[in-house]
Structure formats: structure tokens, C-alpha cells
């Protein structure tokens, strides 16, 4: 394990910020390189190496991998669902071009392993929405979803054709108090906590009964590392694994928050993100991840809400 050198591309994003710290705990601070356009703050910068990198600069990416003798890449750069609808070509370029740069290094044997995140956005409006199976209709209707489904199929292609080690998970909406998301359709489920603590009220951009699969970040980080560290023969799928914890709609989340902040008020003003959410699953069947590499979430909605509020009160200095 100590001989592994890991590069996290997009380390200043919602997942990256926390994944860097967990991987440094396992592989050693000096062996996990954070990289992003934006210089991180705090512990990511202070605890180990950071490389300022524009992932669209292929030469710089290859140079970084060679210079630091990187063996594994976690490719976390992406333009998420809501933003990519506004900038389709830019979204596609960012999500896919950099993916190929990394996959080609894997094919050439410069890298040993790649992790690439997929999303529930890879499903679409005619996908069965309840307990969405691992293998089912996939007809994404967003730029982001199309890029995620395409990437999944390319992962499988590279694995089957070139026998390389690439792994992927279909993330639900991720909730974290340490880092904020940006440009996603599930972002309301993080914003709501900040507004509940700071203003006592929140206007949701999704309607009250829009049920979506969600997960607390500690589970997402643990699951990601468990998949990446599983013996290769247990990773039977080389597209994205279905990955689930719980589902809720804005009204149910607000009720759970009210158990701690009784005066909290929510109202609803659905915008263009409503249509995106309506094309996504409401709940996910992740039995294959459970069976192949032992996935099991720990956090329920109520447990997550309690932990979010406890930590955000300290972070935001709110009584
Ligand atoms: C988004 O809302 O775009 C992301 C996702 C579900 O992949 N959080």
C-alpha cells in the first residue's frame, strides 16, 4: 500500500475535500496529491502535497502523473447537472475530455488504477423510478447524465478491451457539512441546513414531494474507498455500481430538521431543476454492490440530520 501514489483531480470539490483526507489517513499524507484549479484551504493544503492543475491541459496532467510517479487517479472533476444544462458544450468537454486523458494513461500502463464517479443522473425519465435496478433502461436527458452514462460505458470498454482496472459508483445526492456542492439538482438538501440554522426558513427549488436518493458524505467516502480497495475479482461490474443509503423529499427532510429546530419553515418555488429531478430515480436497488464488495450504509435520514446540525452549529457559530 505504501508504494501507491494517488492523485485526486478535483480535490477542492464536494467529494474531493473529504476523500483526500481519508486517503491520506490510509496511504500517508505525502502519498496523496490533491489537485485542482482552486487552491484548497485548511487541512487539505496543510496536511500534504497540492498541485495546481487544469485538467484540460493534457500535457500538464501527464507531467504531474509522471513527475510524482502516480499509480492511481481519482478523477472527480465534473460540471454537475444544473450547471451543465446552462453550458452544454463546456460541460461535455470538461466531463469527458479529461476522462479520456486519464483513461489513456491507464491503457498505456502509466497508471494502475482509476476511479471515476458516475451518478443517478445516468438514469432517465423512462427508467423504473422505484428501487431502480442495477441493469435497466438508461436514457438520461441531461448533459451531465449523458456524460455519466457515456463514461460508464467507456469504463467498461477500456476494462474489457485493455484489461485495465477502472471502478465507478453511481452517486445519489451527497450531503456534507464540511464541503458544499455546486451546480447540482440535489444541492437543496445541503442548502436547507445552512438556511435553517441562519434564517430559520428555506425556499426549496424542488417541490415538496420530489423524492430522491441521498447519502451522507461519511458513508459515500467509506463506500468509495471500499470499492477501490476491493480485490479486483470482486469488482464484477465495470460500469457504475448502484449505491444507496436513504431517500427523502424536501417536506420529509424539513420535518426531520423541525425535530431540532421547531420553528423552521419551508416553502416551495420549483425551478428548472424540478424537471431534472423528475427524470431521476426515487430509490435505488444497490444489492449488487452489497453482494460484490460488501457495501452497507450506516446513516439514516434522521441520524444524518442530527449530525449535520450538530457540526454546522459549530462551523457557523450558531447556538
Ligand atoms: C447533481 O445533483 O447533479 C449531483 C448528482 C446526483 O450527481 N449531486
Amino acid at each position: 500500500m505504501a508504494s501507491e501514489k494517488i492523485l485526486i483531480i478535483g480535490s477542492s470539490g464536494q467529494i474531493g475535500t473529504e476523500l483526500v483526507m481519508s486517503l491520506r489517513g490510509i496511504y500517508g499524507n505525502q502519498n496523496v496529491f490533491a489537485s485542482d484549479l482552486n487552491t484548497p484551504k485548511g487541512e487539505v493544503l496543510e496536511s500534504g502535497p497540492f498541485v495546481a492543475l487544469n485538467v484540460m491541459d493534457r500535457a500538464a496532467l501527464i507531467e504531474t502523473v509522471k513527475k510524482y510517479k502516480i499509480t492511481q487517479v481519482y478523477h472527480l472533476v465534473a460540471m454537475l447537472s444544473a450547471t451543465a444544462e446552462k453550458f452544454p458544450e463546456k460541460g461535455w468537454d470538461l466531463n469527458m475530455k479529461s476522462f479520456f486523458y486519464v483513461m489513456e494513461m491507464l491503457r498505456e500502463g502509466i497508471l494502475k488504477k482509476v476511479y471515476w464517479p458516475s451518478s443517478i443522473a445516468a438514469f432517465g425519465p423512462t427508467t423504473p423510478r422505484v428501487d431502480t435496478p442495477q441493469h435497466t433502461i438508461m436514457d438520461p436527458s441531461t448533459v451531465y447524465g449523458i456524460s455519466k452514462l457515456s463514461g460508464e460505458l467507456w469504463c467498461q470498454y477500456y476494462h474489457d478491451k485493455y484489461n485495465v482496472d477502472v471502478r465507478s459508483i453511481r452517486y445519489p445526492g451527497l450531503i456534507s457539512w464540511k464541503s458544499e456542492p455546486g451546480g447540482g439538482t440535489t444541492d437543496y438538501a445541503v442548502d436547507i441546513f445552512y438556511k435553517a440554522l441562519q434564517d430559520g426558513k428555506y425556499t426549496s427549488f424542488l417541490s415538496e414531494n420530489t423524492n430522491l436518493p441521498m447519502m451522507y458524505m461519511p458513508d459515500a467516502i467509506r463506500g468509495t474507498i471500499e470499492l477501490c480497495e476491493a480485490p479486483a475479482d470482486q469488482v464484477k461490474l465495470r460500469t457504475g455500481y448502484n449505491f444507496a443509503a436513504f431517500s427523502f423529499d424536501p417536506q420529509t427532510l424539513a420535518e426531520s430538521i423541525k425535530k431540532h429546530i421547531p420553528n423552521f419553515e419551508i416553502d416551495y418555488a420549483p425551478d428548472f431543476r424540478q424537471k431534472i429531478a423528475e427524470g431521476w430515480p426515487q430509490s435505488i436497488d444497490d444489492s449488487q454492490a452489497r453482494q460484490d464488495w460488501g457495501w452497507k450504509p450506516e446513516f439514516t435520514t434522521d441520524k444524518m440530520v442530527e449530525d449535520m446540525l450538530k457540526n454546522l452549529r459549530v462551523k457557523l457559530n450558531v447556538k
Side-chain angles (χ1 to χ4, degrees):
M1 241 190 216
S3 64
E4 298 294 335
K5 298 264 187 219
I6 300 178
L7 178 67
I8 318 281
I9 303 173
S11 62
S12 301
Q14 194 199 12
I15 302 174
T17 307
E18 300 202 26
L19 190 62
V20 167
M21 296 312 297
S22 294
L23 288 172
R24 282 185 179 158
I26 298 170
Y27 290 89
N29 287 354
Q30 294 312 313
N31 296 320
V32 179
F33 293 72
S35 76
D36 206 290
L37 268 181
N38 304 318
T39 304
K41 291 186 214 106
E43 56 181 8
V44 170
L45 191 61
E46 284 150 21
S47 66
F50 171 77
V51 185
L53 183 67
N54 176 359
V55 72
M56 300 300 276
D57 182 344
R58 188 175 196 168
L61 175 63
I62 295 173
E63 194 193 311
T64 301
V65 165
K66 290 189 171 164
K67 180 169 171 191
Y68 298 110
K69 301 189 168 38
I70 300 295
T71 57
Q72 301 185 23
V73 165
Y74 286 70
H75 180 301
L76 304 180
V77 172
M79 193 183 286
L80 296 188
S81 55
T83 308
E85 288 309 285
K86 295 181 183 155
F87 308 103
E89 196 177 337
K90 212 170 155 198
W92 175 263
D93 270 4
L94 179 67
N95 295 359
M96 296 312 296
K97 274 196 178 156
S98 56
F99 166 82
F100 278 108
Y101 300 163
V102 169
M103 294 304 281
E104 280 300 291
M105 286 194 278
L106 185 64
R107 183 179 68 78
E108 287 168 15
I110 300 171
L111 294 170
K112 285 199 312 207
K113 201 189 275 184
V114 169
Y115 174 75
W116 188 77
S118 185
S119 159
I120 54 166
F123 297 110
T126 68
T127 300
R129 297 187 69 200
V130 175
D131 279 337
T132 301
Q134 176 69 49
H135 299 284
T136 186
I137 300 166
M138 299 186 80
D139 60 348
S141 56
T142 60
V143 174
Y144 174 65
I146 297 169
S147 73
K148 288 299 168 191
L149 179 56
S150 307
E152 280 196 25
L153 294 172
W154 278 111
C155 286
Q156 178 173 256
Y157 179 89
Y158 269 83
H159 173 265
D160 293 353
K161 181 127 182 169
Y162 305 119
N163 195 25
V164 295
D165 195 353
V166 54
R167 305 175 183 205
S168 180
I169 276 173
R170 292 172 182 155
Y171 288 117
L174 298 178
I175 301 163
S176 160
W177 62 268
K178 288 189 186 164
S179 48
E180 288 173 61
T185 301
T186 59
D187 293 10
Y188 91 86
V190 178
D191 300 344
I192 192 172
F193 287 97
Y194 285 80
K195 292 283 187 319
L197 285 167
Q198 289 172 323
D199 303 340
K201 56 180 193 287
Y202 179 65
T203 300
S204 168
F205 59 75
L206 297 183
S207 68
E208 59 195 286
N209 51 10
T210 309
N211 200 25
L212 287 170
M214 301 277 181
M215 186 179 288
Y216 199 32
M217 193 61 90
D219 273 341
I221 298 293
R222 181 175 53 78
T224 303
I225 294 176
E226 282 171 7
L227 168 66
C228 290
E229 294 196 335
D233 62 353
Q234 284 179 20
V235 185
K236 300 197 193 319
L237 274 178
R238 298 299 176 144
T239 53
Y241 271 96
N242 277 9
F243 188 55
F246 43 75
S247 294
F248 54 69
D249 57 29
Q251 188 177 29
T252 312
L253 178 58
E255 273 156 22
S256 183
I257 292 174
K258 273 189 202 174
K259 289 181 195 160
H260 305 268
I261 307 175
N263 295 332
F264 174 58
E265 285 170 23
I266 184 164
D267 60 10
Y268 304 92
D271 66 13
F272 73 101
R273 289 168 280 194
Q274 181 66 31
K275 185 153 180 280
I276 299 178
E278 283 170 8
W280 287 356
Q282 298 182 348
S283 57
I284 297 286
D285 174 356
D286 63 357
S287 48
Q288 183 141 10
R290 289 172 184 254
Q291 192 182 304
D292 287 1
W293 44 275
W295 165 240
K296 196 166 179 286
E298 273 177 31
F299 281 86
T300 59
T301 303
D302 283 343
K303 206 170 149 191
M304 172 276 291
V305 168
E306 198 183 327
D307 201 64
M308 278 292 282
L309 290 172
K310 188 181 83 190
N311 284 294
L312 278 179
R313 275 187 209 279
V314 178
K315 182 177 169 182
L316 302 174
N317 198 16
V318 173
K319 290 269 153 28

